[in-house]
Amino acid sequence: MVTKISAEMTTGLVAHTETTPAAQKSNNNLLTPSGRLVQLDTSGHIDTGYLPTAVVNQFRLTSDLAITASDQTLTAWEIPDTENQGNTSASGGALTHSSGLFTFPSTGFYLVTATAFVERNSTNVDLITLKVESTDDASAGSPTFSSVVESVVGVTGTVPKEVCSATVLINVTSVDNDKFRVVGVADATGSSFAGSTTVNKTYLTVLKIAGT
């Protein structure tokens, strides 16, 4: 049960009663606790001004990509536009990407999941690796990337199609420096990541789960 406390009831009891959250909110982060009470609206709800902006995004690979024996960044991403698929808008609540490098819209903790649909094209491939690589110095001329999660799979004549997935939590403290990319590599040629403009095959899901 929610107990409603009016501003008048707290006068003189706390250092400050916050009644204008929109004016206090900044950078999509929660207010720093400092002896304040959050005042509920007439329906008993917390004003959305106190909450971080939601980020719920998916991206999918638009065309098949041959997997090589050298690290290759996946770049042909699009926001799904098939019926009933949804994303938060670019106005403060969506990731952007350029040449496969993803930029977060705000600081916070993000759950990043990369899923790959792998197909055998011509020969058996024993080891195919899907990686999420991140950097904390993207604004530098030559940023350094580190693999933060990896998933492996193989395809054969008996099992010509496989799916692998890699999930990681990324703590974004700077939207200019903290970025990530998706990379694929195999121990031999002969397979590909499947792509499509109508259905998610190889795709990304990114959720902001907390502010900083």
Side-chain angles (χ1 to χ4, degrees), residues 25-82:
K25 187 186 72 169
S26 63
N27 299 323
N28 294 319
N29 294 322
L30 293 176
L31 295 170
T32 301
S34 57
R36 297 174 175 173
L37 293 181
V38 175
Q39 191 174 36
L40 304 180
D41 64 18
T42 55
S43 299
H45 301 147
I46 296 176
D47 190 295
T48 56
Y50 289 106
L51 305 176
T53 301
V55 179
V56 181
N57 286 165
Q58 279 197 322
F59 297 85
R60 65 184 173 208
L61 196 66
T62 58
S63 57
D64 293 353
L65 177 67
I67 307 171
T68 66
S70 300
D71 282 5
Q72 183 176 200
T73 300
L74 282 63
T75 61
W77 299 105
E78 73 166 9
I79 295 175
D81 53 4
T82 311

Side-chain angles (χ1 to χ4, degrees), residues 64-67 117-121 128 155 190-195 202:
D64 293 353
L65 177 67
I67 307 171
F117 183 165
V118 182
E119 296 180 312
R120 179 185 185 275
N121 294 333
I128 300 162
V155 288
S191 63
S192 64
F193 292 125
T202 298

Side-chain angles (χ1 to χ4, degrees), residues 59-206:
F59 297 85
R60 65 184 173 208
L61 196 66
T62 58
S63 57
D64 293 353
L65 177 67
I67 307 171
T68 66
S70 300
D71 282 5
Q72 183 176 200
T73 300
L74 282 63
T75 61
W77 299 105
E78 73 166 9
I79 295 175
D81 53 4
T82 311
E83 184 177 2
N84 290 338
Q85 289 188 282
N87 281 266
T88 49
S89 70
S91 178
L95 278 76
T96 58
H97 69 93
S98 176
S99 301
L101 184 63
F102 285 85
T103 299
F104 297 95
S106 58
T107 58
F109 292 90
Y110 289 80
L111 185 68
V112 177
T113 301
T115 302
F117 183 165
V118 182
E119 296 180 312
R120 179 185 185 275
N121 294 333
S122 54
T123 59
N124 294 348
V125 182
D126 295 327
L127 184 62
I128 300 162
T129 305
L130 176 71
K131 301 187 284 185
V132 175
E133 295 183 345
S134 68
T135 180
D136 60 4
D137 61 353
S139 61
S142 300
T144 301
F145 286 88
S146 299
S147 178
V148 290
V149 64
E150 299 182 0
S151 183
V152 298
V153 72
V155 288
T156 66
T158 304
V159 187
K161 298 181 180 181
E162 281 282 9
V163 174
C164 61
S165 183
T167 299
V168 64
L169 279 169
I170 296 180
N171 179 15
V172 179
T173 59
S174 168
V175 296
D176 294 323
N177 288 311
D178 299 331
K179 303 188 180 189
F180 77 94
R181 64 189 183 187
V182 181
V183 174
V185 65
D187 63 348
T189 59
S191 63
S192 64
F193 292 125
S196 172
T197 58
T198 58
V199 63
N200 294 6
K201 291 187 175 182
T202 298
Y203 58 95
L204 273 170
T205 301
V206 182

